[in-house]
Amino acid sequence: MAIDAPALTRTETDSIGSMEIPADAYWGVHTARAAANFPITKRPISVYPDLIRALAMVKQASARANKEIGVLDAERADLIDRAAQKVIDGEFHDQFVVGVIQGGAGTSTNMNANEVITNVALELAGREKGDYGFLSPIDHTNRSQSTNDVYPTAIKIGLSLTLRELLEELDLLRLSFLGKSREFHDILKVGRTQLQDAVPMTLGQEFHGFATTLGEDYSRLTENASLMFEINMGATAIGTGITTHPNYSRAVLRHLREISGLDLQTATDLVESTSDTGSFMSFSSSLKRNAIKLSKICNDLRLLSSGPQAGLGEINLPAMQAGSSIMPGKVNPVIPEVVNQVAFAVVGSDMTVTMAVEAGQLQLNAFEPVIAHSIFQSITWMRQAMWTLRVNCVDGITANRDRLGAMVGSSVGVITALTPFIGYAASAALAKTALLTNRNVADLVVEAGLMSREEVTKQLAPARLSGLETITAAIPVIAAEDIIE
């Protein structure tokens, strides 16, 4: 007697018609149509795991809330709950196959989640995938919900989860620069403004500035992340809460707070919060700020390490790879360069978010998919850029002490430290002489009879030159014509 081979497909039907779905797929007809309709980026939503986890959290919280208020029986609610937990734990993410860019304001993403969680739940119940008569993706898993409250809520939770990893990496990068500032604390160098020689400082001070600016970004990102905590669950289609039980909004918020660990709050005006996406724009803007400042730091690292013979050559970046297919021995600053490019992409993504937020119409913004993709991509790329900058560049930076010392010794900028004692006019005249004759500034000051050698040496000590010790003394006015030529 022949044994029938297992079916390779199953038939699913929606309002448009029927389709054959692979028998082993946990997604269904709605997802299949979306995958066919939006072959744009060739990147499924599963490339952002925290978004998938957040979707499952919303479905789990809704199942618990629906069970609590009595609009979903315990058996089905518990099955959805258990299935959602598996997705939260990282299972079945490969079944989230719709593209990151899609029409429909995120409906395809919501349906992908509904179908996967439903079919996982059906398997837990010992039933076949697609047995929607027992457990329906829409009537049960999506009960009391609409894409228009599920999707933005999941985006906000997902971004909050992903941001944690970015902030961890940002702080590690800050600490790396801080460590270098301690290592270089006693190394004098010439500061520069407008790419021209300025007054002395220490290399440690320069790197400490990098650490400080990254710490400020940590604070700004954290502040703007709090905007993600206002959600609109219970709003359903446009904010009026149609199809929901009066107690659902409070119940789902309580469960979602417990599941996510986030300090979520329900918006006071659900109509407004369903149509407004301004919080995404503010958050994206803070990412852009961080990217721009990080790019500026990388510009500085490339300048400081330029050469090594004909450039500034003040620091050495780790040699990571050969820099040329034609010039032997050339090594390029590839790590700062890639971080620069990530920053450029983040700026572009922020403009995309801005335009998408502006394009919202009436009671809904249909362009949240590109908003979500843009911000998730920015966070993901920034996190990886920070990691490679820290591990493959900053941690291995060394200082060219001899070169830095020689530049400070020959710099006329050090005379600025003597202006409180000999005045601006005398300092300017001696600086001009030093540049014309290539003489040492300290020697000229002593020869002019303006200060003793001992006093000049004291005032040009590293601590004084770098501002670590301040000078507060009366300034005797010395005219330029009084200087001994």
Side-chain angles (χ1 to χ4, degrees):
M1 180 177 177
I3 299 176
D4 293 337
L8 298 177
T9 63
R10 65 178 187 269
T11 303
E12 290 197 14
T13 303
D14 63 4
S15 59
I16 295 178
S18 296
M19 289 186 70
E20 292 300 307
I21 305 299
D24 60 351
Y26 289 85
W27 43 266
V29 61
H30 296 279
T31 301
R33 293 196 191 283
N37 289 335
F38 311 123
I40 310 300
T41 63
K42 302 298 182 181
R43 300 176 68 187
I45 55 174
S46 57
V47 297
Y48 304 125
D50 285 328
L51 175 59
I52 306 307
R53 294 188 184 96
L55 285 162
M57 289 178 184
V58 173
K59 298 302 173 182
Q60 186 178 60
S62 293
R64 293 179 182 181
N66 285 328
K67 174 184 174 181
E68 177 183 318
I69 62 180
V71 301
L72 189 62
D73 64 275
E75 180 184 10
R76 290 181 173 85
D78 290 344
L79 285 169
I80 295 169
D81 191 331
R82 290 168 58 198
Q85 186 62 51
K86 286 184 173 293
V87 176
I88 293 170
D89 292 339
E91 298 183 52
F92 304 103
H93 283 210
D94 63 332
Q95 297 297 307
F96 289 79
V97 298
V98 298
V100 291
I101 303 297
Q102 55 193 246
T107 297
S108 299
T109 293
N110 185 38
M111 287 307 304
N112 197 163
N114 286 333
E115 290 174 339
V116 170
I117 290 173
T118 297
N119 281 309
V120 172
L122 285 169
E123 279 197 345
L124 291 173
R127 293 174 176 270
E128 297 292 329
K129 299 184 189 71
D131 186 4
Y132 300 149
F134 173 74
L135 186 65
S136 166
I138 297 178
D139 291 334
H140 301 124
T141 304
N142 200 60
R143 186 65 181 267
S144 305
Q145 303 153 63
S146 163
T147 293
N148 301 346
D149 55 4
V150 167
Y151 190 56
T153 298
I155 294 172
K156 290 178 178 180
I157 293 173
L159 288 175
S160 299
L161 298 176
T162 299
L163 180 64
R164 291 174 179 174
E165 298 176 7
L166 175 68
L167 290 175
E168 289 173 3
E169 197 55 59
L170 175 58
D171 196 48
L172 288 173
L173 181 59
R174 180 188 68 84
L175 291 173
S176 181
F177 277 112
L178 196 60
K180 287 297 170 181
S181 76
R182 298 190 186 101
E183 181 182 340
F184 302 149
H185 77 280
D186 61 338
I187 304 177
L188 274 177
K189 60 160 288 177
V190 177
R192 295 179 182 83
T193 57
Q194 294 156 281
L195 292 181
Q196 303 300 303
D197 297 348
V199 297
M201 64 187 302
T202 69
L203 190 61
Q205 287 174 315
E206 192 162 30
F207 275 71
H208 193 279
F210 297 153
T212 299
T213 199
L214 293 177
E216 291 176 350
D217 278 348
Y218 188 102
S219 298
R220 299 295 85 73
L221 284 166
T222 303
E223 290 169 4
N224 277 308
S226 64
L227 298 173
M228 299 293 103
F229 294 163
E230 182 183 272
I231 62 173
N232 68 330
M233 287 302 294
T236 61
I238 64 170
T240 60
I242 191 170
T243 75
T244 61
H245 187 281
N247 296 330
Y248 170 78
S249 184
R250 288 190 297 272
V252 75
L253 173 66
R254 186 175 68 257
H255 288 295
L256 200 47
R257 285 168 61 97
E258 178 183 354
I259 293 165
S260 68
L262 299 173
D263 187 24
L264 304 172
Q265 299 292 334
T266 301
T268 56
D269 187 331
L270 291 179
V271 171
E272 183 275 339
S273 65
T274 301
S275 62
D276 178 65
T277 51
S279 61
F280 294 128
M281 184 167 61
S282 297
F283 184 65
S284 176
S285 178
S286 66
L287 286 172
K288 179 182 71 173
R289 168 192 160 120
N290 183 212
I292 289 298
K293 291 170 71 174
L294 196 60
S295 187
K296 189 271 181 189
I297 291 172
C298 287
N299 291 341
D300 287 353
L301 294 179
R302 291 191 294 116
L303 279 171
L304 294 173
S305 65
S306 59
Q309 294 174 302
L312 297 184
E314 295 187 358
I315 62 174
N316 305 302
L317 306 185
M320 301 307 297
Q321 61 188 60
S324 173
S325 61
I326 189 173
M327 292 175 281
K330 192 173 192 294
V331 177
N332 295 326
V334 295
I335 302 302
E337 287 172 351
V338 77
V339 177
N340 285 132
Q341 291 173 80
V342 168
F344 306 156
V346 172
V347 173
S349 291
D350 179 66
M351 177 56 72
T352 299
V353 171
T354 300
M355 297 304 297
V357 169
E358 185 275 336
Q361 298 164 320
L362 304 177
Q363 278 67 62
L364 183 67
N365 189 308
F367 307 111
E368 286 182 353
V370 77
I371 292 174
H373 167 58
S374 298
I375 302 178
F376 272 110
Q377 176 178 278
S378 291
I379 294 178
T380 302
W381 287 15
M382 283 285 287
R383 183 180 69 241
Q384 293 302 107
M386 290 176 190
W387 178 88
T388 197
L389 181 62
R390 172 174 60 87
V391 173
N392 293 322
C393 183
V394 178
D395 286 348
I397 291 176
T398 58
N400 287 326
R401 288 176 177 265
D402 292 343
R403 182 172 176 82
L404 288 163
M407 285 193 284
V408 171
S410 62
S411 171
V412 298
V414 298
I415 203 168
T416 303
L418 303 180
T419 55
F421 306 95
I422 66 175
Y424 183 89
S427 297
L430 289 174
K432 181 178 179 180
T433 300
L435 285 171
L436 291 173
T437 63
N438 202 30
R439 295 282 307 282
N440 181 278
V441 165
D443 292 341
L444 291 174
V445 172
V446 174
E447 290 174 8
L450 300 177
M451 297 178 71
S452 68
R453 175 68 64 180
E454 180 183 8
E455 189 62 23
V456 169
T457 301
K458 176 183 176 182
Q459 300 307 328
L460 296 186
R464 295 286 176 92
L465 287 177
S466 61
L468 298 178
E469 290 182 7
T470 57
I471 304 300
T472 54
I475 301 176
V477 178
I478 300 177
E481 58 268 20
D482 295 333
I483 298 174
I484 301 173
E485 293 293 340

